[in-house]
Amino acid sequence: EEATQLEIGQSWLKEFDQLPQIKKINSDSPLAISKFGRKPKENVAWGRSEIEVRASMEEVLAFLWDFQSRERAKSNDLEKLKLEEKNPHSYIGYTCKKGTHKGFIKLRPREGINSFVWQRLEDNAYVYVATPTTHEHRSVRRDRVRVNMPIVAMITQHPQGRCQFTYCHSLEAGEF
């Protein structure tokens, strides 16, 4: 199961380059290259960012892995928690983001459950994958919208304590 999840997650990086509509977008860092892509007439979009960071691969992986840390907290987080720790490199996590209420637009909070897994690859890299799933301790709620949020990150070692970080994430809008 984990091997399949890792393989599928890595394929998302390749599939991003095959999207018919890809646009370069501005990011918070001038050092990052960020792109947005999607297929016409679909409500699912993908974003990918790449940046070289001054950190080891293990430090970047540790930052990603501890998704409940204060450093990763955002103002729009309603809930973030680990539902099940499967083993040291696999767990099920739950995230819920605040809804949007601007003018006549009133969107309910968006929630997702992902199966997270990581693996060290032979070519001096780590892959980190989050695949949408379900869990018995989090049923669908009427006051929230369940969405799929697949994620893949590739962390590749560079010389002098640096690494390349590639992060690809998708989010469907869900129902309105």
Side-chain angles (χ1 to χ4, degrees):
E1 183 181 323
E2 286 181 15
T4 302
Q5 184 177 345
L6 290 161
E7 187 177 308
I8 290 169
Q10 289 176 78
S11 74
W12 296 334
L13 288 171
K14 295 179 183 117
E15 290 171 11
F16 181 89
D17 292 324
Q18 305 305 315
L19 291 171
Q21 295 179 347
I22 298 175
K23 180 181 172 185
K24 189 172 179 183
I25 56 175
N26 293 330
S27 69
D28 290 343
S29 171
L31 303 175
I33 298 169
S34 297
K35 297 176 182 177
F36 172 83
R38 66 181 203 68
K39 292 180 182 176
K41 300 179 183 174
E42 286 191 9
N43 69 344
V44 177
W46 285 86
R48 183 172 78 188
S49 291
E50 299 178 58
I51 191 166
E52 185 176 88
V53 295
R54 284 184 233 159
S56 70
M57 294 187 312
E58 293 78 12
E59 289 170 321
V60 174
L61 179 63
F63 177 79
L64 288 172
W65 197 244
D66 188 8
F67 93 121
Q68 293 176 283
S69 73
R70 288 183 300 172
E71 290 296 318
R72 295 202 46 203
K74 304 278 190 256
S75 61
N76 66 341
D77 289 340
L78 287 178
E79 286 184 79
K80 268 188 169 181
L81 56 110
K82 286 186 182 178
L83 298 173
E84 180 181 343
E85 187 99 26
K86 293 181 168 186
N87 58 51
H89 60 270
S90 179
Y91 68 86
I92 306 251
Y94 171 82
T95 302
C96 183
K97 301 289 188 179
K98 289 180 184 175
T100 301
H101 301 285
K102 292 187 179 186
F104 66 91
I105 297 174
K106 296 194 183 339
L107 300 177
R108 289 180 286 160
R110 297 321 198 217
E111 66 177 359
I113 299 173
N114 279 351
S115 172
F116 294 85
V117 63
W118 65 268
Q119 181 181 42
R120 185 177 180 114
L121 304 176
E122 292 181 16
D123 55 353
N124 208 21
Y126 285 101
V127 63
Y128 165 93
V129 177
T131 306
T133 190
T134 59
H135 196 273
E136 62 188 23
H137 296 301
R138 282 293 167 162
S139 56
V140 176
R141 294 173 47 168
R142 297 177 75 103
D143 62 331
R144 295 179 178 182
V145 176
R146 182 68 53 93
V147 296
N148 291 326
M149 300 181 282
I151 299 166
V152 60
M154 187 68 68
I155 309 161
T156 310
Q157 191 64 56
H158 282 202
Q160 301 173 340
R162 294 175 178 260
C163 68
Q164 180 74 24
F165 178 58
T166 303
Y167 184 87
C168 191
H169 179 253
S170 178
L171 177 64
E172 64 181 353
E175 61 185 64
F176 293 98

